[in-house]
Amino acid sequence: MPSNRRNLLAAEVAGLAYEPAVAVAHDTSPYVTAYPWSASGFGAKYSNPATLPAGRCNGVDFSPDGTAIGLASTSTPFILAYDWSDSGFGSKFSDPATLPSNWCGGINFSADGDYVAVAQLLSPRVGVYPWSASGFGTRFSNPATLPAGPGYGVSFSPDSSQLVVSHSTTPFVSAYPWSGSGFGTKFANPATVPTGTGNGVAFSAAGTEVAIAHNTSPFVSAYPWSGSGFGTKFSNPATLPANACFGVAFSEAGTTIALGHISSPYIAAYPWSASGFGTKYSNPSSLPTGTGRSVDFSVDDGEIVVSHDTSPFVSAYPWSAGFGTKFSNPATLPTGLGYGVAFSPTT
């Protein structure tokens, strides 16, 4: 998950002021749906991109300056990006010269806006491209030590100096130094590895913690993070998520961690501090209607959104140390299962 606050700062430095938006990646054409966002919730759906993705999209992310939106897809070219403005989708950027090797599970722009990464099903499991106003640059060389299995989630650290991939084979998470030269030597695995397939990964906004959403109890593993890599795993939350977790996000202030998961209530949120997980927040009064696939906080932490498996496929709530009353569903819903969700950097 990106740090939206850092993205907002990047947009401000660039002198940009785009209207807030929220985007959902899903499994049915047009495969991505985006809406203006306000304190009232969802606005009228933006027009579909002129050139649609060719198949299901698993992940979505906005560039840190808000001028592009990227998608991770199950169909070639597997990674796509479009110009983004107050009008919504612009022209599709040219595909990268070297495509990912197969379908991609997650996508993340670096906070400095210079790179875009995808987690992918087949070897090398992760791919990174330079990013600029011209689009994709020449793909970086693979890491010397590849992730051990299919990649599902990917996240740059907030200072863009590390990259973490969650994947399906032990140790279930792999982390690397990152620079303009590409991948550095893989960091040592955490002393206590996640217990199952890593479906999602996120850094805290301060870059001092990293969390992995995974398939097997306790369903989430979180670690202190430093330039040396993983620290000693935080204690599990006292009340675990109800089942396998797919999405994970820290609030921008770093005071909350949220998870999307299988089984009701489909979303779980906990206070977060340097000590780790606090007592789980009460469930929202109106729950998401199916498996929570992805979660994100708005820039000001005033809202939280979750994409899920059952209509309306996306649910959003006011957030203030707990869930508020669910926002009304969008007037035009996404057309299928919600796999990825992201607020723009200017919410």
Side-chain angles (χ1 to χ4, degrees):
M1 281 297 170
S3 168
N4 283 333
R5 192 176 302 280
R6 287 179 179 269
N7 289 355
L8 174 60
L9 292 173
E12 289 175 345
V13 168
L16 302 169
Y18 294 117
E19 293 296 320
V22 63
V24 184
H26 49 86
D27 73 339
T28 307
S29 185
Y31 305 112
V32 61
T33 301
Y35 307 88
W37 181 263
S38 73
S40 300
F42 298 96
K45 176 183 172 290
Y46 288 107
S47 297
N48 298 332
T51 304
L52 298 182
R56 186 181 88 199
C57 287
N58 293 318
V60 58
D61 193 20
F62 289 89
S63 66
D65 64 2
T67 62
I69 184 171
L71 297 162
S73 177
T74 60
S75 299
T76 188
F78 308 117
I79 182 173
L80 306 91
Y82 301 85
D83 280 313
W84 182 263
S85 73
D86 286 352
S87 300
F89 295 96
S91 299
K92 179 179 173 291
F93 286 96
S94 297
D95 298 333
T98 303
L99 301 183
S101 56
N102 202 275
W103 69 254
C104 293
I107 185 169
N108 187 221
F109 286 94
S110 62
D112 60 14
D114 291 338
Y115 313 103
V116 61
V118 283
Q120 57 195 58
L121 181 68
L122 299 182
S123 183
R125 320 295 189 189
V126 61
V128 183
Y129 301 85
W131 180 261
S132 71
S134 300
F136 298 100
T138 301
R139 186 175 173 278
F140 284 96
S141 297
N142 301 330
T145 303
L146 303 182
Y152 291 105
V154 63
S155 182
F156 282 100
S157 63
D159 65 1
S160 305
S161 67
Q162 292 100 24
L163 181 69
V164 178
V165 184
S166 59
H167 48 84
S168 69
T169 305
T170 190
F172 306 114
V173 62
S174 296
Y176 306 86
W178 182 262
S179 72
S181 300
F183 292 96
T185 302
K186 180 180 174 288
F187 287 104
N189 298 332
T192 303
V193 301
T195 55
T197 294
N199 294 311
V201 61
F203 279 98
S204 63
T208 51
E209 296 92 15
V210 64
I212 298 92
H214 50 86
N215 272 1
T216 309
S217 184
F219 308 118
V220 58
S221 296
Y223 305 86
W225 180 263
S226 71
S228 301
F230 297 97
T232 301
K233 179 180 174 287
F234 287 103
S235 296
N236 299 332
T239 303
L240 299 183
N243 208 317
C245 288
F246 289 96
V248 58
F250 287 94
S251 66
E252 299 303 320
T255 56
T256 308
I257 185 172
L259 298 146
H261 55 77
I262 297 175
S263 302
S264 182
Y266 306 115
I267 188 171
Y270 304 83
W272 181 263
S273 71
S275 301
F277 296 94
T279 302
K280 180 178 175 289
Y281 286 107
S282 298
N283 300 330
S285 56
S286 297
L287 301 181
T289 53
T291 295
R293 295 280 178 177
S294 180
V295 290
D296 198 17
F297 287 92
S298 61
V299 170
D300 63 1
D301 286 339
E303 296 92 20
I304 185 172
V305 65
V306 56
S307 58
H308 47 83
D309 277 3
T310 307
S311 183
F313 307 116
V314 62
S315 296
Y317 304 86
W319 180 262
S320 177
F323 295 95
T325 302
K326 180 178 175 287
F327 287 103
S328 297
N329 297 333
T332 304
L333 302 181
T335 56
L337 280 63
Y339 279 84
V341 69
F343 280 108
S344 71
T346 50
T347 54

